[in-house]
Amino acid sequence: MRRQLSILALMLCVAVIQGCATYTTPAGGVNIPALGDGDIAELMTVEPAAQFPARIAVARVQSSGYSSRTNDSQGGGRYSVVTTRDIESEADFSKLAGMEMVASVAPVGRLLLPEQLDSIKDLRLSAASLKADMLLIYSIDTAFHIEGETLGPLTVVTLGLLPSKQAFVASTTSGLLVDVRSGYVYGVAEATERDEKHTNVWDSSAEMDRARVLSEAASFQQFMNEVGNLWQATLRQYAVSEPVLAPPAAPPAPQIPAPAVPAMLEPTPSQETYTF
């Protein structure tokens, strides 16, 4: 009898474990400044060379081999490029294209990417193919937090065994605005958003991934607001137009004196004296 109960309990445990869904957290973002070229001395000699109104190329970079339930990446090396939009909205890019002194905005497509991606220069070459003046590079780093514990990239989570504890997803979008011609960095922008949930809501991998997408989308939207602030600062410092010089004043026309009118003497009546 005891043996039969033990076998039944074992079978029940196996069934429970097999019925538990799992979720693998996506790979992490990229430390974009670490992808820079040259040493400090060389970087200090770089000067801005963009023209205004500027054409801007946009690229999202993630760690090498990045993939999620809604997206994957292209290229190998120190990082990869995500070419499909899953958390970015068309309104976000329309807002970017509508900013002052922006001529056009274009994504860096997969056909323009080299196979090996090791530095920002590789993306600058792709942006140059688009005749872009500037390159906006951004990366999204997402972490899941459960009861104070952070789940890092590529962590397998067994959803059925999660306790009902406080949990949330935090996403940080960070980026650089780079000069395509010279590699000059105009500035950085960053935004962090988090979507708080209880783990008892994450009863499926789809729900857990939906929390990720919402958190990343909110983070990217806030990041675009920061990009707008960065762009305004860039215009104030680098898009100063040459002062318009007023045309020289015409010399005054020479004054032609009117011809002098000769004075006329009025005749005076003569007086005559006659003596008789």
Side-chain angles (χ1 to χ4, degrees):
M1 184 68 179
R2 291 182 179 178
R3 182 179 179 183
Q4 291 178 349
L5 291 176
S6 299
I7 294 175
L8 181 60
L10 179 61
M11 292 176 63
L12 181 60
C13 290
V14 171
V16 170
I17 293 176
Q18 288 179 346
C20 293
T22 61
Y23 177 81
T24 302
T25 60
V30 176
N31 182 10
I32 299 177
L35 305 177
D37 307 303
D39 55 21
I40 296 178
E42 293 176 350
L43 293 175
M44 293 298 290
T45 63
V46 175
E47 296 292 339
Q51 300 176 356
F52 295 90
R55 297 179 296 270
I56 302 178
V58 183
R60 175 185 172 183
V61 297
Q62 298 292 148
S63 59
S64 182
Y66 172 88
S67 65
S68 67
R69 288 175 61 93
T70 58
N71 220 329
D72 55 11
S73 59
Q74 305 293 322
R78 296 174 62 190
Y79 65 95
S80 60
V81 176
V82 177
T83 57
T84 303
R85 299 175 184 175
D86 60 346
I87 54 93
E88 305 93 335
S89 69
E90 193 62 35
D92 295 325
F93 288 97
S94 297
K95 182 179 179 180
L96 179 63
M99 294 192 306
E100 180 184 4
M101 298 293 284
V102 173
S104 63
V105 174
V108 177
R110 65 181 65 192
L111 296 179
L112 299 176
L113 294 174
E115 294 183 1
Q116 190 73 10
L117 296 168
D118 292 319
S119 70
I120 294 178
K121 185 176 181 180
D122 297 320
L123 282 180
R124 286 169 51 207
L125 291 172
S126 298
S129 301
L130 296 171
K131 304 298 181 184
D133 300 294
M134 296 185 182
L135 174 64
L136 176 63
I137 312 170
Y138 66 96
S139 185
I140 302 175
D141 194 25
T142 300
F144 293 81
H145 303 265
I146 300 177
E147 198 68 14
E149 181 180 354
T150 302
L151 305 180
L154 303 178
T155 300
V156 179
V157 182
T158 304
L159 300 178
L161 299 180
L162 286 177
S164 179
K165 298 178 180 179
Q166 184 68 26
F168 65 90
V169 186
S171 299
T172 299
T173 305
S174 55
L176 293 178
L177 185 62
V178 183
D179 194 299
V180 172
R181 293 177 177 85
S182 65
Y184 182 85
V185 177
Y186 290 95
V188 299
E190 184 173 289
T192 299
E193 292 290 333
R194 76 183 200 175
D195 181 35
E196 291 199 19
K197 297 286 184 183
H198 286 83
T199 54
N200 56 358
V201 177
W202 294 343
D203 55 359
S204 68
S205 58
E207 285 294 332
M208 195 168 184
D209 197 66
R210 182 173 180 272
R212 173 193 65 84
V213 171
L214 292 176
S215 176
E216 291 182 350
S219 172
F220 180 76
Q221 188 174 27
Q222 184 61 32
F223 168 75
M224 293 303 291
N225 294 333
E226 296 300 323
V227 170
N229 297 332
L230 170 60
W231 184 250
Q232 290 300 318
T234 301
L235 292 182
R236 288 193 297 268
Q237 186 170 357
Y238 301 102
V240 179
S241 58
E242 295 293 332
V244 179
L245 300 178
Q255 298 294 329
I256 302 176
V261 178
M264 300 295 291
L265 298 177
E266 293 292 334
T268 56
S270 61
Q271 295 181 357
E272 295 182 356
T273 303
Y274 298 93
T275 304
F276 296 94

